[in-house]
Amino acid sequence: MAAFRDDPETWSRLDFRLLQAGPVALYLKRTVLEEDLSWLSTNAYVIDRFDAAAWSSPAEALARLAVQLDFPDYFGHNLDALNDCMRDIAIPDEGGRCLVFDRFDAAAESFGDFTWNVLDIFANQSRQHMLVGRRLLVILQSDDPQLSFKPIGCSSPSWNPREWMNKDRGL
């Protein structure tokens, strides 16, 4: 199934507008967040919610993600394992899945680069899921109206599959 249809009705959908700007969206006002989560829920999105301010460490953040997102027992509790398990996260064919992180500003302040790396993984995996018609949104609620991040989900041009290895390019 295609991720979206190309028509005016689709262009006005909340999920389309959010994903059009990128897979990660910031929210300040809880009333706005709750209204949008209600729309997503009504439109067949599975919503997973996390209190990022409650995380005491990156290890605890990964453990809570693993439990709530039902990662397999062999989850390695590191960023590489998070990336691997996000490839296999269940996303319904209709609607999608939305990961919501309340008070993400607190985690970003406490854990710096770790939070950026988690968002980068989510953004890249969202793009991968979109290739097969599945929608993965990430919503960050912040009590800091100036919360910002360096670009996430960026990708550099990569060598094609037949020339990916250095030896295939004469190196």
Side-chain angles (χ1 to χ4, degrees), residues 14 18 25-30 32-34 36-37 40 138-144:
L14 173 64
L18 289 172
L26 291 167
Y27 281 73
L28 176 69
K29 297 177 182 171
R30 291 180 187 275
V32 174
L33 173 62
E34 296 306 326
D36 286 1
L37 291 179
L40 291 168
V138 178
I139 291 178
L140 310 178
Q141 185 281 324
S142 171
D143 289 345
D144 176 359

Side-chain angles (χ1 to χ4, degrees), residues 55-122:
W55 298 341
S56 61
S57 67
E60 182 181 356
L62 290 170
R64 289 186 184 212
L65 286 167
V67 169
Q68 189 158 344
L69 299 177
D70 199 28
F71 290 169
D73 291 339
Y74 58 80
F75 174 64
H77 295 275
N78 59 54
L79 292 172
D80 288 334
L82 175 64
N83 187 52
D84 291 344
C85 287
M86 287 302 296
R87 282 188 196 115
D88 298 325
I89 190 171
I91 299 175
D93 289 333
E94 294 300 320
R97 192 155 189 177
C98 181
L99 309 181
V100 181
F101 297 90
D102 290 294
R103 289 291 323 275
F104 199 78
D105 53 310
E109 183 177 327
S110 296
F111 311 127
D113 285 345
F114 170 79
T115 54
W116 181 88
N117 283 309
V118 167
L119 295 178
D120 196 56
I121 288 168
F122 290 158

Side-chain angles (χ1 to χ4, degrees), residues 123-165:
N124 285 314
Q125 289 304 323
S126 176
R127 183 176 59 246
Q128 294 299 314
H129 286 289
M130 289 283 280
L131 289 172
V132 293
R134 294 197 175 93
R135 304 173 194 149
L136 176 62
L137 282 165
V138 178
I139 291 178
L140 310 178
Q141 185 281 324
S142 171
D143 289 345
D144 176 359
Q146 295 184 345
L147 180 67
S148 64
F149 296 93
K150 63 184 179 180
I152 59 171
C154 301
S155 60
S156 300
S158 61
W159 290 99
N160 69 76
R162 293 185 0 199
E163 297 174 319
W164 182 76
M165 296 182 72

